[in-house]
Amino acid sequence: MIITSEQVDVGTPDGGFIRTFIALPKSPGKYPGLLLYSDIFQLTGPMVRSCARLAGYGFVVAAPEIYRRLEPPGLAIPFDDAGRTRGLADAGKTPVAHFDADCRIMLNYLKEHPAVWPGALGAGGFCIGGHLAFRAAMHKDVRATACFYGTGIHDGKLGSDADPGSLQRAGEISGELLLVWGALDPHTPAAGRAKIEARLQAAGVNFAQSVYEAEHAFMRDEGPRYDAEATDRAFAEMISFFRRVFNAATVQQSTIHANQ
């Protein structure tokens, strides 16, 4: 499927804006809308390519800059030691309330986008973005969420908060959840994955987990940890997940409109 893409500045109530990469199918129509979060490096080449690839399967993808209060618009942080330090520092300076507020702004933007099918909102993300997507799943209008090696979910580490209680709030997730991990990821070891699984089961969340024999950030197609085969399998799993959930959502919406 051929796509189009652009950068847009999504306005915020504080008078600012969120620089956002948008990718969507070129063919006119209505498609599910996905809020896709980056890792700590923001909208780098690998992230933009992931958005474009996902849009090519029939989704409207919106990827926001997560440090819009700290960094100049358009900054993609380099994949080097200095960049990692900068990205982690920015994350550590950001209150979770700021992440949450911007999440709602972006979800509202997608809901109002002319190419987004009513009632078909989802989320996803990588690394810190996987944790942010987990919190996005707590919004009642988010039907499906895919979290890739989300850091800090098991131990509460996110932003400048000591512990924002993401895992404790798992019962607020009403849509379906897909969690994808690397077995060799030191940031979320087996014990951490087991803790997340136990909490989601106790909260009655509809979820699935997949673990690939891969490292942290194995889907980032730059650097020594990239695993092409695991990436393709995980990406296919995500597409199948979103299509199944949103097919049910669009059928339900069509039935509602037909009966009105």
Side-chain angles (χ1 to χ4, degrees):
M1 184 177 289
I2 295 176
I3 69 165
T4 62
S5 63
E6 63 177 332
Q7 285 192 335
V8 301
D9 291 337
V10 179
T12 61
D14 59 10
F17 61 86
I18 305 172
R19 178 66 52 84
T20 304
F21 179 76
I22 304 289
L24 69 159
K26 186 175 181 179
S27 298
K30 297 286 187 180
Y31 305 93
L34 300 177
L35 170 57
L36 194 65
Y37 282 111
S38 71
D39 54 22
I40 61 169
F41 302 98
Q42 297 206 113
L43 303 184
T44 58
M47 182 62 188
V48 168
R49 288 190 288 273
S50 293
C51 293
R53 182 179 181 186
L54 186 54
Y57 283 88
F59 301 96
V60 177
V61 182
E65 293 182 344
I66 59 176
Y67 302 137
R68 59 110 173 173
R69 295 174 179 83
L70 300 173
E71 298 287 7
L75 175 72
I77 300 175
F79 295 128
D80 55 24
D81 289 343
R84 183 176 184 275
T85 298
R86 182 172 183 170
L88 288 172
D90 284 345
K93 296 174 187 174
T94 304
V96 174
H98 287 177
F99 286 134
D100 289 347
D102 288 356
C103 175
R104 188 64 256 174
I105 291 168
M106 291 305 307
L107 290 173
N108 289 343
Y109 170 81
L110 279 171
K111 288 180 77 168
E112 297 167 4
H113 196 287
V116 172
W117 186 276
L121 278 185
F126 306 91
C127 191
I128 187 177
H131 194 156
L132 295 177
F134 188 90
R135 293 184 69 85
M138 298 172 191
H139 292 261
K140 298 301 181 184
D141 48 357
V142 175
R143 289 181 172 266
T145 302
C147 304
F148 293 95
Y149 35 86
T151 54
I153 298 174
H154 73 291
D155 59 13
K157 294 180 181 178
L158 181 65
S160 61
D161 295 37
D163 184 351
S166 300
L167 195 55
Q168 292 86 337
R169 294 178 57 191
E172 298 176 35
I173 298 175
S174 57
E176 292 194 42
L177 187 66
L178 172 65
L179 301 169
V180 175
W181 309 102
L184 308 179
D185 183 352
H187 300 292
T188 310
R193 299 194 300 270
K195 180 179 179 180
I196 293 169
E197 181 176 7
R199 174 57 189 147
L200 292 175
Q201 288 176 339
V205 177
N206 186 355
F207 76 101
Q209 288 197 99
S210 291
V211 181
Y212 292 87
E213 194 66 19
E215 300 185 37
H216 183 71
F218 69 86
M219 298 179 73
R220 184 194 303 150
D221 65 2
E222 292 182 20
R225 288 178 285 178
Y226 175 54
D227 187 319
E229 181 177 355
T231 296
D232 288 347
R233 290 168 56 201
F235 208 92
E237 187 176 10
M238 172 178 60
I239 296 299
S240 177
F241 167 69
F242 280 143
R243 282 184 168 173
R244 176 181 57 77
V245 174
F246 289 126
N247 181 63
T250 53
V251 169
Q252 181 184 49
Q253 286 292 323
S254 297
T255 302
I256 292 172
H257 291 315
N259 292 333
Q260 287 178 342

